Amino acid sequence: MLDAGLICHLGVVARGVPMVVPTGYGRIGDTLYLHGSTGATSLRAGGGGGEVCVTVTHLDGIVLARSAFHHSVNYRSAMVYGTPRLVTDPDEHLAGLRAITEQLAPGQWDAVRPPTRKELAATAVLALSLAEASVKIRQGPPIDDEEDYGLPIWAGVLPLRTTWGEPEPDPALTADLPVPGHIASRNITIG
Amino acid sequence: MLDAGLICHLGVVARGVPMVVPTGYGRIGDTLYLHGSTGATSLRAGGGGGEVCVTVTHLDGIVLARSAFHHSVNYRSAMVYGTPRLVTDPDEHLAGLRAITEQLAPGQWDAVRPPTRKELAATAVLALSLAEASVKIRQGPPIDDEEDYGLPIWAGVLPLRTTWGEPEPDPALTADLPVPGHIASRNITIG
């Protein structure tokens, strides 16, 4: 479920108030990696010893029931809870950043200019154990009350599909470079 | 941005720990409505006088830069902060539920069996003012360091498209009912 996602929603408590921020992530084994500017409020709160909640959600469809009450969505969601650790080891820091980039764009890390020492210093990486995680899934047709199944009301699921569009080259490309295979060949359904 | 979304991520603090839950929502004027089982932890925490953060995110594409450091995503995100009010007025309670259902499936509320008194009693509705909200948007091609533009590395955006699939009738439909127009005619790109 985590590997099929692109972004997560990171929940932190900053000055007593919850804050939910969409952000990238990556996974290596049983560890989730998050990153951000070293000055970002969400990372300061997350890296300062406070607990966080990271939620990755795939929305698969709208569940249309015969009664308003039984409307729902089909989805898959993973929530990871814990107190993240600020990564200080240089190798793990680099590996975490690589995992985050590869989660968004597999094959991209080795195709582009690697980070400089200055760029690495400007990027905080947090590591979060997957030990405390929960998964919620709802799939399939609506579940209506028994007495409602005879009503002349259409019921079913309206599925959602997420797909890649055609790659859009940067207008600032200085040469007529072809779209690399790892990007061009990604034209499949996500999730 | 809120009207174009389907689900939000609701952040609450429950027993001192942040919790991020995907859930439905609806908007009427300057008020956002959320609902849930009267027993749900997230709603108890949200309705018990604590602040919440509601985030709606549209992920529009992956931004592929010439350097690992400048990778990003194109997105539109709205965050609403505040202390929600538990809705007790019966008319507002019903209007809130209607807005939440219509957000997921416009036209559906009037097509299905309305909620019974018992169903209404089992569903808590929270109202959250849109007074305190912020919006973040990132669009367009990558922004690379000036000295990297000459590198022979492809750069650009890989767009994400979210579309509706074909409606899937409930196998338990007791009659050969056609897909209603408000569902069948929804075959357009989302967001």
Side-chain angles (χ1 to χ4, degrees), chain A residues 9 20 55 157 159 161 163 165 168, chain B residues 20 55 57 157 159 161 163 165 168:
Chain A
H9 280 82
V20 178
T55 301
V157 172
R161 312 240 183 268
T163 53
E168 297 168 353
Chain B
V20 178
T55 301
T57 304
V157 172
R161 310 240 184 268
T163 53
E168 297 168 354

Side-chain angles (χ1 to χ4, degrees), chain A residues 94 97-98 101-102 107-120 123 182, chain B residues 64-71 143-155:
Chain A
L94 198 64
L97 289 175
R98 182 191 175 107
T101 304
E102 291 282 302
Q108 189 70 354
W109 185 266
D110 290 329
V112 299
R113 174 177 69 67
T116 63
R117 206 173 296 184
K118 198 179 156 191
E119 289 172 343
L120 288 172
T123 313
H182 67 276
Chain B
L64 304 154
R66 294 154 185 86
S67 64
F69 185 72
H70 285 295
H71 276 67
I143 307 294
D144 270 301
D145 289 347
E146 208 168 313
E147 60 267 32
D148 289 339
Y149 277 92
L151 293 174
I153 298 172
W154 188 89

